[in-house]
Amino acid sequence: MSKITTELLLERAVPRSTRLRKIETLNLSKLQLKTGDLDPRLFSRLRHLQKLDLSDNLLDKFPSSLTLPDLRVLNCNNNKLEDVTALKQFPLLEELTYENNVYLTLNDDYKVMFLLQNLRLLNGKDITKLANHVRHVNSRKLTSKVTAHWEKFFRDQLPEKYTAEQVKSIKKKFLKSVQTNVVYGPSSLSEFTRWRVKMIAEEFLAYTLGLELNTDPDPEEKMDENEEESTESPKEAAEDMGQVVYIYDPLVTVTPSKRKRNHSKSGTRNKRSKSQANTKEEAEDVSAEPLHFLQCHSKGNSREDFKTQLWSCVFEPLLDCGARKDPVVSSSRTVATCGGESVCLIDCETGTVLKKYKVATEEFFSVAWTTLTMVISNSRKKSHNILAAAGRRGIVKLIHVAADFCYGEIKAHKKPIATVCFSPTQETHLFTAAYDKRIALWDIGIPDSDYNFKASQLLVLEGGSVPLRIALVPTCPDQYLLAGCEGGCFAWNINLDKEQKSRPFDAVFQFPDEDGGMTTSHRVDGLAFLNDDVVVSKSSKPGCMYLWSWSRSFDGKGKGCQRTLSAVILAELEWSTTDLSYLTLSTCPAKDYVFCGDEKGSVWMYNLSNYTTAWSSPKGRRSDKRIPPTQILNWPELQANGEQLTEVLINNVVSDPTFTYLVVLTSVNITAIWKKS
């Protein structure tokens, strides 16, 4: 039964009223109202309502037919609104507030400015000038671009006498193409631009071809479901992989003692040579053979795309052999990679793109796996791997890989998400770190057999700086989280037993700087645990990475928050002197390895097995000299379209847990896969 009755409306009127049609001001705040409680038949009797307060409720959207023809002021603060397009049913609206609706973004602000021609105040700010620009200047520019796109690419495709089927086909192609290729304004408004471009394109086609306009109350949602997102089969993904990238040098390794690292000009052959570690004992020599160089993240599947940046990869966790019989999918040689508009699943041994998931308006920055025990048919339970992918739109996509199905999304942040990770102890707990300078903890829930699920926010960590890398402390993953940020390295208490749901950081760590002093203010763009205690991080000063002890640096019994603590340095790793950021590091704890790429296409590998025992002792001494790489893998000479690929940055390097495969992600849309031989 609805919470809203005639009696309630009369009672909550300001002032109280005896008839619905006489109510001009109505306060329905703090009633725990959901969208289904707003009965259009009842609200249609509020013909003279001018001011409506729906703040502090649980609304996720507006019904499309509330019929409030005289509404001028609307307050929707502190709800769960996900979309604003239904507000166009209130054409006389002059003042609108919807602050603290975490799923609404700047794109939604621009949508209401366009839809509501009389709107003057939005969230308390006068938007008259900006709204005029959005309605007129922006629309003229986009209309011009849409028209030009039709004239250049589509006009000649339509014959003089065309059938309805031909019109339907070209309309579908044109709408998809124009939304992908017409760009205007900052990237932060790409969703709004795409929404307006589709609207303009439909109006253009209606005028040009005599088509009926789409009057669907929420057309962009259908576009999202049917065309924007797609999951491709292995065969389709293989067809989309793009061109073969030819490899001239089958095997390239370099000794760290050659400090020039043999970065030769194009055409020079690199010869295979053994690596010597500058330690008392000779470290294991690792020969790595390049298996595959894949171009599978191209925008629009373009063979010419060598600009898409690849950012994150993670190996699929093993499932019980009985749960999934496919040996390719169930083994850890399957890796998920992301960059640009797509997420790919790749078999490292064969180089086959097993699956590909695309969202045309997204740029994916991070992926993470979890294993959920889901109820399937006949009430049986079964373990399935779920992939979370997130990026520029601030939305987390949840993908059931075995079913080739993206079953849901979480609108987690208003700004891009830099990285995500799951808790190793709580399978449904997902951390999202974003450019709004916050880290959020979500419970993503477990989908039922119809893929219904409920996500909830459990915690928000405030840092005052953009988080770039996050890591849960292995010995207490439910207690502390460590983050490398634009402004330093921070730690938070994430214990859910504490009542405080929004928390400042507990500690900030200081490191040596270039002048010999200590600093907390520096960009930390690489962060990972080598084992239960040793942390690897960069980059408070160029040319090195630090290894430091978590237990000896952080005193969990210390009182107060926002403490400044000195990182207890165990050693420095010798690395590139580049000042480029976001070339991140990774670790292989089972093999005591650290990996990091550089600005010249090389992969630096450090075997630290000779050091970890000494570091684990309570009074383990710091290594006096910088530890050189055990081995450096140089970027081989590759050709595409007859030209050599140069200026390759290595954004990320990840090995599988047993260090059999090494996956290298680059700035030139190439995924390189090496195998330890």
Side-chain angles (χ1 to χ4, degrees):
M1 183 176 177
S2 173
K3 294 181 180 179
I4 299 181
T5 62
T6 300
E7 292 73 20
L8 177 67
L9 294 179
L10 295 174
E11 182 181 330
R12 303 279 292 201
V14 182
R16 287 192 180 186
S17 178
T18 56
R19 297 199 175 182
L20 293 181
R21 69 177 184 221
K22 291 186 177 182
I23 297 176
E24 294 185 358
T25 301
L26 183 61
N27 183 351
L28 297 178
S29 65
K30 301 179 181 179
L31 292 176
Q32 299 290 302
L33 297 179
K34 297 182 179 180
T35 299
D37 295 319
L38 305 183
D39 184 355
R41 290 174 298 178
L42 194 56
F43 272 74
S44 66
R45 298 166 62 189
L46 300 168
R47 296 180 183 178
H48 298 290
L49 184 66
Q50 294 189 15
K51 296 183 179 180
L52 176 60
D53 187 350
L54 289 167
S55 62
D56 299 291
N57 283 297
L58 303 172
L59 304 176
D60 58 2
K61 62 181 179 180
F62 273 93
S64 58
S65 55
L66 281 185
T67 319
L68 302 173
D70 206 25
L71 189 65
R72 309 298 174 100
V73 179
L74 178 61
N75 182 350
C76 304
N77 288 346
N78 299 306
N79 276 278
K80 296 183 177 182
L81 292 176
E82 299 179 7
D83 182 63
V84 295
T85 53
L87 295 176
K88 67 183 179 183
Q89 66 184 298
F90 310 128
L92 299 184
L93 206 60
E94 297 175 358
E95 299 180 22
L96 172 64
T97 54
Y98 49 59
E99 294 180 303
N100 295 322
N101 283 268
V102 296
Y103 302 136
L104 297 184
T105 69
L106 181 64
N107 291 278
D108 297 295
D109 295 349
Y110 274 65
K111 287 180 183 180
V112 295
M113 281 188 271
F114 173 77
L115 292 171
L116 302 173
Q117 300 291 310
N118 291 308
L119 195 65
R120 296 182 294 103
L121 295 177
L122 178 60
N123 294 327
K125 297 180 181 179
D126 188 335
I127 48 92
T128 306
K129 289 184 178 180
L130 178 57
N132 283 332
H133 180 88
V134 171
R135 295 166 193 153
H136 304 296
V137 178
N138 181 283
S139 294
R140 282 199 303 270
K141 293 279 189 182
L142 291 178
T143 300
S144 175
K145 287 176 175 284
V146 168
T147 304
H149 192 76
W150 170 267
E151 294 292 326
K152 184 175 181 180
F153 298 107
F154 286 89
R155 186 182 68 173
D156 294 338
Q157 294 186 28
L158 201 63
E160 289 187 17
K161 294 183 179 180
Y162 44 80
T163 65
E165 197 62 35
Q166 287 174 318
V167 171
K168 183 179 179 181
S169 175
I170 199 168
K171 176 184 177 181
K172 182 178 180 181
K173 291 178 181 178
F174 177 60
L175 290 179
K176 185 173 183 179
S177 176
V178 78
Q179 290 176 83
T180 302
N181 294 291
V182 170
V183 179
Y184 177 70
S187 59
S188 58
L189 291 174
S190 59
E191 182 192 341
F192 166 76
T193 300
R194 187 170 181 269
W195 176 79
R196 275 295 288 137
V197 163
K198 186 187 180 198
M199 191 182 297
I200 292 169
E202 288 183 329
E203 293 170 354
F204 173 81
L205 290 176
Y207 176 79
T208 305
L209 304 178
L211 302 178
E212 290 186 10
L213 272 175
N214 185 355
T215 56
D216 190 299
D218 199 6
E220 70 276 9
E221 287 300 321
K222 284 196 173 183
M223 179 68 187
D224 286 346
E225 292 176 9
N226 298 332
E227 292 186 12
E228 181 186 5
E229 300 174 5
S230 63
T231 305
E232 300 177 354
S233 67
K235 181 179 179 181
E236 292 168 328
E239 291 171 353
D240 285 343
M241 279 172 56
Q243 68 198 88
V244 176
V245 182
Y246 292 100
I247 310 169
Y248 279 165
D249 287 317
L251 195 63
V252 281
T253 58
V254 179
T255 65
S257 58
K258 297 179 181 178
R259 293 314 317 141
K260 293 183 180 179
R261 300 199 307 283
N262 201 18
H263 286 306
S264 53
K265 295 182 180 180
S266 300
T268 304
R269 297 291 183 108
N270 294 321
K271 295 183 178 180
R272 179 179 178 181
S273 58
K274 289 188 176 181
S275 304
Q276 301 295 325
N278 293 343
T279 59
K280 291 182 180 179
E281 297 180 44
E282 183 176 320
E284 174 192 7
D285 174 36
V286 177
S287 295
E289 178 182 1
L291 286 184
H292 311 286
F293 292 81
L294 307 175
Q295 186 191 11
C296 52
H297 288 272
S298 300
K299 185 174 182 180
N301 299 323
S302 170
R303 294 177 175 231
E304 310 301 321
D305 181 3
F306 292 100
K307 294 183 179 179
T308 293
Q309 300 255 12
L310 310 183
W311 295 112
S312 175
C313 61
V314 59
F315 279 83
E316 184 176 17
L318 287 168
L319 283 172
D320 180 76
C321 294
R324 293 171 76 174
K325 297 179 181 179
D326 184 350
V328 172
V329 180
S330 66
S331 73
S332 60
R333 73 185 200 184
T334 304
V335 68
T337 61
C338 76
E341 65 185 15
S342 60
V343 174
C344 293
L345 257 70
I346 301 170
D347 177 0
C348 289
E349 183 63 30
T350 65
T352 303
V353 180
L354 302 170
K355 303 177 190 294
K356 187 173 182 179
Y357 176 73
K358 295 193 294 186
V359 180
T361 58
E362 182 62 280
E363 181 181 4
F364 287 106
F365 293 151
S366 187
V367 284
W369 290 99
T370 190
T371 303
L372 300 183
T373 303
M374 299 164 56
V375 177
I376 56 175
S377 58
N378 301 324
S379 300
R380 291 185 297 115
K381 293 184 177 181
K382 189 176 181 181
S383 294
H384 288 279
N385 282 336
I386 301 298
L387 185 67
R392 187 171 296 280
R393 296 171 68 193
I395 296 172
V396 178
K397 298 286 187 179
L398 299 173
I399 306 169
H400 184 190
V401 172
D404 294 340
F405 184 50
C406 176
Y407 68 84
E409 65 179 33
I410 301 170
K411 296 181 179 179
H413 298 268
K414 293 183 179 180
K415 291 193 175 182
I417 295 173
T419 187
V420 296
C421 80
F422 279 99
S423 165
T425 57
Q426 307 291 333
E427 61 181 11
T428 63
H429 285 192
L430 175 69
F431 290 89
T432 58
Y435 281 76
D436 58 8
K437 302 179 181 179
R438 293 172 177 169
I439 301 171
L441 171 59
W442 302 85
D443 187 334
I444 67 168
I446 297 179
D448 62 19
S449 57
D450 295 320
Y451 288 102
N452 298 309
F453 75 104
K454 183 179 180 180
S456 58
Q457 189 182 82
L458 304 178
L459 200 61
V460 176
L461 309 178
E462 307 279 357
S465 180
V466 175
L468 302 173
R469 303 285 176 258
I470 56 178
L472 295 165
V473 178
T475 54
C476 45
D478 297 326
Q479 186 76 25
Y480 291 108
L481 178 141
L482 193 61
C485 305
E486 288 282 1
C489 187
F490 300 85
W492 284 266
N493 187 322
I494 56 172
N495 191 333
L496 292 177
D497 292 337
K498 296 177 65 176
E499 292 185 2
Q500 190 179 10
K501 298 304 179 185
S502 179
R503 301 178 190 175
F505 61 86
D506 267 34
V508 57
F509 295 93
Q510 58 182 358
F511 292 82
D513 60 21
E514 295 181 81
D515 301 323
M518 299 291 283
T519 181
T520 59
S521 181
H522 57 106
R523 177 185 291 126
V524 179
D525 58 2
L527 182 77
F529 276 85
L530 179 63
N531 53 35
D532 284 351
D533 184 58
V534 178
V535 187
V536 191
S537 65
K538 74 175 188 67
S539 55
S540 62
K541 64 180 180 179
C544 78
M545 294 180 281
Y546 284 111
L547 293 107
W548 50 285
S549 168
W550 160 260
S551 61
R552 291 155 65 184
S553 304
F554 183 81
D555 178 11
K557 298 179 181 179
K559 295 182 179 180
C561 62
Q562 300 189 353
R563 293 171 288 158
T564 299
L565 304 174
S566 295
V568 177
I569 307 296
L570 303 173
E572 294 183 19
L573 300 182
E574 186 178 307
W575 187 66
S576 168
T577 56
T578 181
D579 57 0
L580 287 175
S581 299
Y582 315 122
L583 309 178
T584 195
L585 61 87
S586 71
T587 60
C588 180
K591 300 295 182 180
D592 292 324
Y593 258 87
V594 175
F595 308 98
C596 193
D598 68 12
E599 80 287 5
K600 296 181 179 180
S602 300
V603 176
W604 299 54
M605 306 195 300
Y606 307 82
N607 181 354
L608 302 175
S609 55
N610 290 331
Y611 300 90
T612 51
T613 302
W615 292 336
S616 63
S617 63
K619 297 182 179 180
R621 290 183 55 196
R622 171 174 175 169
S623 301
D624 296 329
K625 296 181 179 180
R626 284 189 179 180
I627 300 174
T630 308
Q631 194 169 7
I632 297 176
L633 300 179
N634 270 11
W635 185 252
E637 296 175 15
L638 303 185
Q639 278 199 356
N641 294 335
E643 296 183 3
Q644 192 148 344
L645 290 176
T646 57
E647 299 182 4
V648 179
L649 307 181
I650 304 299
N651 291 331
N652 205 344
V653 186
V654 174
S655 79
D656 67 295
T658 60
F659 189 17
T660 302
Y661 302 99
L662 198 63
V663 179
V664 180
L665 303 182
T666 71
S667 62
V668 293
N669 192 25
I670 298 294
T671 302
I673 300 175
W674 299 67
K675 185 177 183 181
K676 191 169 73 172
S677 57

